[in-house]
Amino acid sequence: MNTQDTPATYNIYYTWLERNGGYAKDETLRDKLAGMAMQAYLSDPAFRWGSEDATRYAAEHAYGAADAMLKERI
């Protein structure tokens, strides 16, 4: 691909992926489970977007759900 024909953001994005080995280089099972739990929280119509507290709440509970799933797995 010719870099003259691509937007500047493509080069930055590609370099970041190359430098970090992709999206989920060091993703753990806990991270994966928390991500799925986070999707469930965020898809709830009652979830209130727009505040950092709401997002932090969802993240904390997503990791709590992941921890509970891992505990039951043992």
Side-chain angles (χ1 to χ4, degrees), residues 2 6 9 25 27 52 57-59 62-63:
N2 187 345
T6 60
T9 54
K25 179 182 174 196
E27 182 181 37
E52 187 177 322
Y57 172 86
Y63 272 100

Side-chain angles (χ1 to χ4, degrees), residues 16-47:
W16 182 88
L17 283 177
E18 192 175 66
R19 197 173 57 240
N20 293 298
Y23 288 109
K25 179 182 174 196
D26 297 324
E27 182 181 37
T28 64
L29 178 57
R30 182 177 184 248
D31 294 327
K32 187 168 183 72
L33 292 172
M36 290 187 280
M38 178 67 97
Q39 287 177 342
Y41 286 123
L42 298 181
S43 67
D44 182 358
F47 183 77

Side-chain angles (χ1 to χ4, degrees), residues 36-71:
M36 290 187 280
M38 178 67 97
Q39 287 177 342
Y41 286 123
L42 298 181
S43 67
D44 182 358
F47 183 77
R48 301 285 183 223
W49 284 97
S51 77
E52 187 177 322
D53 290 337
T55 307
R56 186 178 303 118
Y57 172 86
E60 288 173 0
H61 283 80
Y63 272 100
D67 291 340
M69 286 185 263
L70 288 171
K71 184 177 177 182

